[in-house]
Amino acid sequence: GAVVSQHPSWVICKSGTSVKIECRSLDFQATTMFWYRQFPKQSLMLMATSNEGSKATYEQGVEKDKFLINHASLTLSTLTVTSAHPEDSSFYICSVPGSYNEQFFGPGTRLTVL
Amino acid sequence: AQSVTQPDIHITVSEGASLELRCNYSYGATPYLFWYVQSPGQGLQLLLKYFSGDTLVQGIKGFEAEFKRSQSSFNLRKPSVHWSDAAEYFCAVGGIGGNEKLTFGTGTRLTIIP
């Protein structure tokens, strides 16, 4: 399966600042990547589908102006949390779909907003 | 709309004992079904997937799952658990189109006692 990396693995920022999270598909070209958010002891919540060469598709209730997604190439998608607030603190995970719609996940990024 | 139900939030099993984690799904067409495992602070790892053919599928780490269409179930089993199996387990369902979203269950936390 695809090998997916995320950077950074952990970030702490002050309220009001913006944070960029990178998701890279290391061995697989991905026209689509997915971004999830996970609160402690909860399941994954799909935030958006990142599409190479076009705009991301956001799930209902996700603010597209707050969570900016850019699929810059077939191996890189970025999620920028703009004007972060403490309620944005969470675990953010990206994934790359495989041949049978299985998804290969990155290791996640823990965001803490002070 | 598709959905996944994992009725057991938390299961405790003795090391060496057998394990069965339940998963029921709702999907309007032929589903693709998946089981993932997540260790604390980590991304998700694919254990196994079902997309067609034999309804009993084998996965990594000695896990298997059985697809029962009549019961809309895809239960995960392991004949003898190891302490390293302690983790969170997620069942997911998706469609057969390309790059489709997955819907995840709420997860089952597995604790192993000596």
Side-chain angles (χ1 to χ4, degrees):
Chain A
V3 179
V4 183
S5 70
Q6 283 184 240
H7 178 80
S9 57
W10 185 40
V11 56
I12 300 175
C13 69
K14 293 182 178 180
S15 184
T17 61
S18 295
V19 174
K20 180 184 285 187
I21 301 170
E22 293 185 348
C23 176
R24 292 184 183 273
S25 177
L26 299 182
D27 58 353
F28 187 80
Q29 291 189 327
T31 57
T32 298
M33 295 183 182
F34 297 99
W35 285 97
Y36 294 86
R37 182 174 183 175
Q38 186 180 32
F39 290 105
K41 300 188 186 301
Q42 294 190 25
S43 188
L44 284 74
M45 183 192 79
L46 179 65
M47 299 175 65
T49 301
S50 174
N51 303 300
E52 192 269 337
S54 63
K55 293 182 179 180
T57 304
Y58 290 82
E59 296 299 299
Q60 191 172 8
V62 177
E63 299 175 63
K64 62 181 181 180
D65 294 331
K66 181 169 187 61
F67 298 99
L68 301 179
I69 291 173
N70 180 32
H71 200 133
S73 72
L74 290 173
T75 59
L76 174 64
S77 175
T78 60
L79 168 67
T80 301
V81 183
T82 63
S83 187
H85 288 92
E87 58 265 29
D88 298 323
S89 299
S90 191
F91 193 55
Y92 292 87
I93 314 176
C94 68
S95 71
V96 170
S99 302
Y100 294 98
N101 285 338
E102 72 273 53
Q103 291 181 18
F104 300 100
F105 287 84
T109 296
R110 170 90 41 209
L111 171 62
T112 300
V113 184
L114 302 177
Chain B
Q2 58 199 57
S3 66
V4 177
T5 301
Q6 292 181 248
D8 303 305
I9 296 174
H10 183 204
I11 285 183
T12 300
V13 177
S14 297
E15 189 169 16
S18 64
L19 170 71
E20 182 169 27
L21 302 182
R22 296 183 290 167
C23 171
N24 291 96
Y25 69 91
S26 173
Y27 194 76
T30 301
Y32 282 1
L33 293 159
F34 310 89
W35 274 100
Y36 287 88
V37 61
Q38 184 181 34
S39 297
Q42 303 292 317
L44 278 70
Q45 182 182 24
L46 179 66
L47 285 176
L48 47 78
K49 60 181 182 280
Y50 169 80
F51 51 91
S52 68
D54 193 347
T55 56
L56 183 64
V57 293
Q58 303 296 321
I60 62 172
K61 303 185 179 185
F63 285 93
E64 67 177 26
E66 186 170 13
F67 171 56
K68 293 186 177 179
R69 185 185 299 274
S70 61
Q71 299 177 21
S72 297
S73 69
F74 188 57
N75 294 348
L76 182 71
R77 300 194 294 249
K78 186 170 185 177
S80 176
V81 297
H82 187 263
W83 63 267
S84 60
D85 293 324
E88 189 86 18
Y89 291 80
F90 294 96
C91 181
V93 66
I96 62 175
N99 296 332
E100 285 211 12
K101 299 183 289 188
L102 295 183
T103 298
F104 285 85
T106 50
T108 297
R109 181 160 61 95
L110 176 64
T111 298
I112 308 295
I113 55 176

